[in-house]
Amino acid sequence: MLFRSQVLQGTVITVLSVLLLTVIISRRVSIGVVRPIRQLTVASRAIGRREFGHRVPLSGDADIRQVTAAFNQMASEMERAYRDLELRVAERTAELEHARSELERLNAGLQETVTNQVEEINRTALLKRYLSPQIAEVLINDHERIVGPTHRRELTVMFVDLRGFTALSEVLPPDQLVPLLNSYLSALT
């Protein structure tokens, strides 16, 4: 019985020793493998939030250190690529802003040109209502040469309706009608 008791006691001590050794080994494995994997998980989430400066300290066995080093290199390259991308976006935004400003300037000039041309067309149409089209075109095209520089002046305008003038103008030639009209108008002024 003593022998049995000693064997049982030796077995229990062996089992407890193996169990304790298993716990110690598990703890070491946990520290060496699980912790770096958790750190990689935390770093991956940080990079997902665009925190590209996040790095994982090198620890664990050779394989874990190799994975960690590759992860840190990837994070550095992503940080550099993101910074370059932001710089290119800023440059392109500045180019687009400059192009937009230039288009606005050109559009304003074009709008002014169109407005001026529409006004010119309206003036021409109005002038053609009162003058022959040929005279209106000459006045419009050679305005500066014919009219000369314009000046503001105070004028008095008189409108006269002469009874029978239309019938008289149909029978008299221009060289007789103009002196008659001038003498009549001179007497009025």
Side-chain angles (χ1 to χ4, degrees):
M1 211 31 136
L2 185 60
F3 177 72
R4 225 173 172 194
S5 170
Q6 285 177 339
V7 170
L8 187 60
Q9 193 177 30
T11 304
V12 169
I13 289 175
T14 303
V15 168
L16 287 176
S17 296
V18 169
L19 187 60
L20 182 61
L21 188 59
T22 304
V23 168
I24 292 172
I25 291 172
S26 297
R27 179 77 176 137
R28 301 273 296 162
V29 168
S30 171
I31 290 171
V33 175
V34 175
R35 184 182 297 161
I37 290 174
R38 283 187 188 146
Q39 290 174 336
L40 284 169
T41 303
V42 168
S44 296
R45 288 186 182 133
I47 286 177
R49 293 186 305 269
R50 295 186 184 134
E51 297 172 12
F52 297 113
H54 199 86
R55 298 294 181 271
V56 179
L58 295 175
S59 63
D61 65 2
D63 291 334
I64 296 293
R65 283 195 306 274
Q66 187 177 4
V67 168
T68 303
F71 180 88
N72 288 338
Q73 181 181 357
M74 177 205 64
S76 295
E77 290 172 8
M78 285 181 70
E79 182 177 24
R80 193 173 322 110
Y82 191 78
R83 195 173 39 245
D84 290 346
L85 181 62
E86 283 183 331
L87 180 63
R88 288 188 3 223
V89 166
E91 289 171 352
R92 186 66 180 139
T93 300
E95 289 171 6
L96 289 172
E97 179 59 31
H98 176 71
R100 184 192 62 77
S101 297
E102 184 66 17
L103 281 174
E104 280 182 358
R105 187 187 64 77
L106 290 172
N107 188 39
L110 181 62
Q111 192 170 6
E112 183 179 338
T113 301
V114 168
T115 300
N116 291 341
Q117 288 178 346
V118 167
E119 289 174 0
E120 185 71 26
I121 289 169
N122 290 339
R123 282 193 304 270
T124 303
L126 186 61
L127 199 54
K128 286 181 180 179
R129 284 180 55 194
Y130 299 107
L131 301 172
S132 72
Q134 295 84 2
I135 292 174
E137 287 296 328
V138 168
L139 285 174
I140 290 166
N141 294 333
D142 277 346
H143 177 75
E144 289 297 323
R145 187 179 63 81
I146 293 172
V147 177
T150 58
H151 303 284
R152 289 188 175 269
R153 296 204 175 135
E154 214 173 287
L155 299 175
T156 303
V157 178
M158 177 176 66
F159 293 94
V160 177
D161 186 19
L162 301 175
R163 185 177 298 158
F165 180 77
T166 303
L168 183 63
S169 69
E170 290 173 354
V171 291
L172 285 178
D175 59 336
Q176 291 177 359
L177 184 62
V178 169
L180 178 66
L181 188 57
N182 282 339
S183 69
Y184 179 78
L185 293 174
S186 293
L188 288 177
T189 59

